Amino acid sequence: MRIVLIGPPGAGKGTQALMLRQALEVPHISTGDLLREAVREGTALGKAAKDYMDKGELVPDQLVTAMVEERLQRHDCRAGFILDGFPRNIPQAEDLSAHLAKEGKRLDGVVSIVVPRVELVERLSGRRVCSQCGAMYHVRFDPPRQAGVCNRCQGTLYQRSDDNAETVNARLAVYEGATAPLLAYYTSKGLLHAVDGSGTPELVFTRIREVLNSLQASPRS
Ligand code: AMP
């Protein structure tokens, strides 16, 4: 299946994508993760992206789109993919659909994860991420058994540098301005499925599975 996950920062896209990756056996492509890796490795892309990311702004479309297209061409995407964090605006969505159309493919569905804004800020400020496996925790709502250490792989947990109050507000504003218009865009294409993102990750996952099951039962003609 070819699925896009849309939602504001803190909606749980990354957590759901990790669970979906196992269930659907297709790769999880997070543009945020790919860009952070490029920054860590000090590549030309990473150097160009860093300032935008630190401010919570979008990295220019042509850089991100080229990175995603290169990733989608890899062999493991032949059976499908879960895109997390891309597209982030309408030009990116149009580039994605043109790229897929060139290969005779298209998206099966777009899942929008809906969470109230107050909850997003609370989730992001306490979020911790495993530096090894990417598993996510929350210092209050879902703490690891041992502070600072991943339950699954014993990796070290860290706080993303853009999960501070100032950058979180900038990221939420970018979501409202640039990304939220995608909801109407994908609705008009008959692709959008809104899912309530409140409750435990398992509960949200069940809701998303229901949507995907209905898509599998009646694929687009
Ligand atoms: P995320 O991990 O999805 O919250 O992304 C972290 C940061 O990476 C964002 O605040 C942007 O600066 C950048 N980024 C991720 N995906 C995109 C995208 N599709 N377009 C532009 N910038 C992006």
Side-chain angles (χ1 to χ4, degrees), residues 7-10 13 30-36 49-61 63-65 67-68 84-89 92 124 127 160 162-163 167 170-171 174 179:
K13 300 184 297 296
S30 155
T31 44
D33 284 351
L34 292 174
L35 289 167
R36 279 184 288 279
K50 186 175 185 316
D51 281 352
Y52 296 99
M53 296 174 77
D54 286 344
K55 290 189 211 140
E57 293 170 7
L58 293 185
V59 174
D61 289 344
L63 297 179
V64 181
T65 300
M67 174 183 84
V68 171
D84 156 13
F86 185 94
R88 253 338 203 258
N89 56 26
Q92 292 183 5
L124 289 167
R127 175 161 75 175
R160 273 174 50 172
D162 57 355
D163 277 349
T167 314
R171 289 161 63 205
V174 167
T179 310

Side-chain angles (χ1 to χ4, degrees), residues 21-194:
R21 178 181 70 179
Q22 286 179 352
L24 300 177
E25 297 184 337
V26 293
H28 161 210
I29 301 172
S30 155
T31 44
D33 284 351
L34 292 174
L35 289 167
R36 279 184 288 279
E37 194 181 317
V39 170
R40 264 196 311 276
E41 288 175 355
T43 65
L45 170 64
K47 286 185 181 130
K50 186 175 185 316
D51 281 352
Y52 296 99
M53 296 174 77
D54 286 344
K55 290 189 211 140
E57 293 170 7
L58 293 185
V59 174
D61 289 344
Q62 67 275 19
L63 297 179
V64 181
T65 300
M67 174 183 84
V68 171
E69 290 185 357
E70 187 274 321
R71 181 66 188 83
L72 291 180
Q73 263 152 5
R74 292 205 213 150
H75 190 73
D76 62 345
C77 293
R78 286 207 327 193
F81 51 76
I82 303 153
L83 272 174
D84 156 13
F86 185 94
R88 253 338 203 258
N89 56 26
I90 290 180
Q92 292 183 5
E94 290 187 331
D95 280 337
L96 173 64
S97 112
H99 176 80
L100 292 175
K102 268 193 274 169
E103 299 183 349
K105 296 176 183 162
R106 60 183 176 176
L107 292 175
D108 293 298
V110 175
V111 176
S112 151
I113 307 181
V114 184
V115 176
R117 188 184 168 113
V118 281
E119 208 176 306
L120 295 172
V121 175
E122 207 171 22
R123 286 186 185 191
L124 289 167
S125 55
R127 175 161 75 175
R128 299 292 182 271
V129 187
C130 174
S131 53
Q132 265 177 212
C133 74
M136 268 168 281
Y137 297 86
H138 189 282
V139 287
R140 277 189 29 229
F141 308 136
D142 181 23
R145 283 193 290 274
Q146 186 185 343
V149 180
C150 179
N151 293 347
R152 298 183 202 178
C153 73
Q154 313 303 309
T156 307
L157 304 187
Y158 72 101
Q159 180 171 31
R160 273 174 50 172
S161 60
D162 57 355
D163 277 349
N164 63 75
E166 194 185 333
T167 314
V168 161
N169 282 324
R171 289 161 63 205
L172 289 171
V174 167
Y175 178 79
E176 290 304 329
T179 310
L182 282 178
L183 303 180
Y185 172 88
Y186 280 127
T187 300
S188 74
K189 303 208 174 294
L191 282 169
L192 194 83
H193 303 271

